[in-house]
């Protein structure tokens, strides 16, 4: 049983609006062109992202219909349909226009919804996946371990704790030795996989790494929220789009330079605190330490400061009075 599933690929109409949308394009190109194309070619499961999918009505009905128990109802339906034996096809030559969130506030809301919803779905569906009949052990293992546990739970937590806490802290504790494979080999492999379909954006890879490390803290909180079902587990905030692709067709500009001080909600205190911690660690390594990681830590601290004070993306409307 097959679902015809065309997806928009990298056809984001506003990918060149700002640096943040260019970074998003790099990540989404990997998601579409690598994960979903390879999953389709191998007739393996890959998650439905809610964009431009063509579903068979019989597949939706057999899977139990749409459910609003999480904030990722599209992924929920895809998992249940796959457990019923339905397979998905990625049709990459069909292009559909889409728009990326170009404000940091909108992007943070989107990432919280995606990450929190995925881990919450893992909590709710893990028993169903284990008990599912007619599904191979390999597919159950892939869904539980690879698709959910590693990518949705472990990845954001490990990224933040290791690259933003452990490595900076190690400069103050000479006895701690970080293996080369953890510091260089794994990040290099991940970077190559994400850049392989964006050779024209290879110069942006260092910026992409720093940006993703900062966002890993936000994703980590969202992952734990979904996994533990805390207060904001069902928070649904629609991703704000500014209509960037029509900005040249209107008389008044839709985008204005970012001025974080105009609104206190554009200052993210946790990111600023982490930036201060990183600056202390980098300064210690430069003055008193072995001088191994201070350059990386200084750059990462600068990235946390930029996002913490909202100097990323375009300026959206402020909800403050």
């Amino acid at each position: 049983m097959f679902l015809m599933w065309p997806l928009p690929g990298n056809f984001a109409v506003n990918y060149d609006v700002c640096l943040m949308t260019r970074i998003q394009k790099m990540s989404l190109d990997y998601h579409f062109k690598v994960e979903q194309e390879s999953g389709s070619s191998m007739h393996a499961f890959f998650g439905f992202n809610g964009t431009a999918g063509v579903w068979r009505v019989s597949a939706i009905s057999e899977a139990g219909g749409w459910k609003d128990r999480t904030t990722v109802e599209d992924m929920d339906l895809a998992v249940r349909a796959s457990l019923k034996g339905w397979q998905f096809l990625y049709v990459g030559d069909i292009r559909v226009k889409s728009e990326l969130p170009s404000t940091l506030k909108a992007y943070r809301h989107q990432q919280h919804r995606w990450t929190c919803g995925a881990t919450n779905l893992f909590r709710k569906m893990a028993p169903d996946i284990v008990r599912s009949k007619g599904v191979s052990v390999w597919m159950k293992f892939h869904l539980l371990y690879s698709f959910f546990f590693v990518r949705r739970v472990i990845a954001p937590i490990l990224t933040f704790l290791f690259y933003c806490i452990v490595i900076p802290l190690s400069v103050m504790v000479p006895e701690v030795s970080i293996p080369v494979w953890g510091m260089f080999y794994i990040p290099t492999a991940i970077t190559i996989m994400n850049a392989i379909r964006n050779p024209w954006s290879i110069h942006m890879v260092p910026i992409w790494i720093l940006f993703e490390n900062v966002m890993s803290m936000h994703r980590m909180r969202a992952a734990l929220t979904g996994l533990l079902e805390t207060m904001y587990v069902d928070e649904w905030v629609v991703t704000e789009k500014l209509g960037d692709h029509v900005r040249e067709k209107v008389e008044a500009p839709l985008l204005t330079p970012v001025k974080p001080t105009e609104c206190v909600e554009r200052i993210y205190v946790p990111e600023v605190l982490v930036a201060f911690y990183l600056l202390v660690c980098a300064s210690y390594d430069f003055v008193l330490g072995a001088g191994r990681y201070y350059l990386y830590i200084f750059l990462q601290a600068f990235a946390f400061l930029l996002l913490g004070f909202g100097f990323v993306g375009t300026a959206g409307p402020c909800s403050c009075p």
Side-chain angles (χ1 to χ4, degrees):
M1 297 181 288
F2 290 90
L3 292 171
M4 183 177 169
W5 203 334
L7 293 168
N10 64 342
F11 199 45
V13 296
N14 67 329
Y15 75 91
D16 58 347
V17 165
C18 61
L19 185 60
M20 191 180 74
T21 54
R22 292 179 181 273
I23 293 173
Q24 290 180 67
K25 182 179 183 296
M26 292 178 64
S27 299
L28 290 176
D29 277 352
Y30 172 78
H31 172 64
F32 289 126
K33 298 179 179 180
V34 178
E35 291 179 328
Q36 297 196 345
E37 279 190 9
S38 61
S40 176
S41 62
M42 298 178 65
H43 301 292
F45 172 80
F46 59 92
F48 176 48
N49 55 283
T51 303
V54 179
W55 281 83
R56 293 184 184 273
V57 175
S58 55
I60 298 176
S61 300
E62 187 177 347
W66 290 90
K67 295 183 179 180
D68 59 356
R69 57 180 176 174
T70 69
T71 57
V72 287
E73 72 287 348
D74 45 7
M75 182 187 294
D76 187 354
L77 177 59
V79 173
R80 286 184 281 113
S82 67
L83 295 178
K84 293 295 182 179
W86 290 90
Q87 297 180 6
F88 310 132
L89 295 177
Y90 179 94
V91 186
D93 57 345
I94 298 179
R95 308 290 292 277
V96 180
K97 292 183 179 181
S98 62
E99 183 178 345
L100 301 172
S102 59
T103 66
L104 180 59
K105 179 182 176 182
Y107 183 67
R108 284 169 60 91
H109 283 312
Q110 180 197 69
Q111 294 302 300
H112 179 274
R113 187 175 72 247
W114 287 358
T115 308
C116 176
T119 56
N120 190 235
L121 181 63
F122 173 53
R123 172 181 173 136
K124 286 179 165 63
M125 285 215 64
D128 296 334
I129 296 174
V130 172
R131 294 192 299 262
S132 180
K133 298 179 180 180
V135 179
S136 66
V137 175
W138 169 249
M139 182 175 180
K140 292 181 181 180
F141 177 79
H142 170 69
L143 281 172
L144 291 173
Y145 180 74
S146 178
F147 182 76
F148 277 119
F149 184 67
V150 173
R151 296 198 54 208
R152 270 69 189 183
V153 179
I154 296 300
I157 297 175
L158 181 62
T159 299
F160 174 70
L161 293 181
F162 185 69
Y163 294 104
C164 301
I165 300 297
V166 175
I167 290 179
L169 189 61
S170 69
V171 303
M172 299 184 181
V173 186
E175 294 77 13
V176 175
S177 177
I178 300 176
V180 176
W181 58 264
M183 184 66 188
F184 296 103
Y185 295 162
I186 292 180
T188 300
I190 295 174
T191 301
I192 291 175
M193 286 190 296
N194 277 274
I196 193 170
R197 294 304 298 265
N198 288 277
W200 51 87
S201 299
I202 194 69
H203 62 287
M204 293 181 55
V205 167
I207 300 175
W208 176 82
I209 294 174
L210 296 174
F211 179 81
E212 288 296 307
N213 284 346
V214 177
M215 288 303 302
S216 68
M217 181 174 71
H218 184 66
R219 295 188 183 110
M220 180 187 71
R221 295 201 304 265
L224 293 176
T225 297
L227 198 62
L228 302 177
E229 288 195 337
T230 57
M231 182 185 305
Y232 298 104
V233 66
D234 294 321
E235 182 181 45
W236 178 279
V237 179
V238 177
T239 304
E240 180 186 42
K241 305 293 178 65
L242 299 181
D244 297 326
H245 62 291
V246 297
R247 65 187 185 279
E248 296 179 355
K249 299 179 181 180
V250 296
E251 296 180 359
L254 294 175
L255 307 178
T256 57
V258 177
K259 298 179 180 179
T261 54
E262 290 181 353
C263 181
V264 71
E265 69 182 0
R266 294 197 183 116
I267 298 179
Y268 303 100
V269 177
E271 280 78 359
V272 174
L273 293 178
V274 172
F276 177 75
Y277 160 76
L278 292 174
L279 286 173
V280 171
C281 293
S283 301
Y284 180 90
D285 189 37
F286 180 73
V287 177
L288 302 174
R292 293 175 296 178
Y293 305 129
Y294 70 88
L295 181 58
Y296 157 71
I297 302 174
F298 270 130
L299 290 173
Q300 193 63 73
F302 182 65
F304 267 95
L305 280 176
L306 284 179
L307 270 75
F309 286 105
F311 287 104
V312 177
T314 58
C318 177
S319 61
C320 297

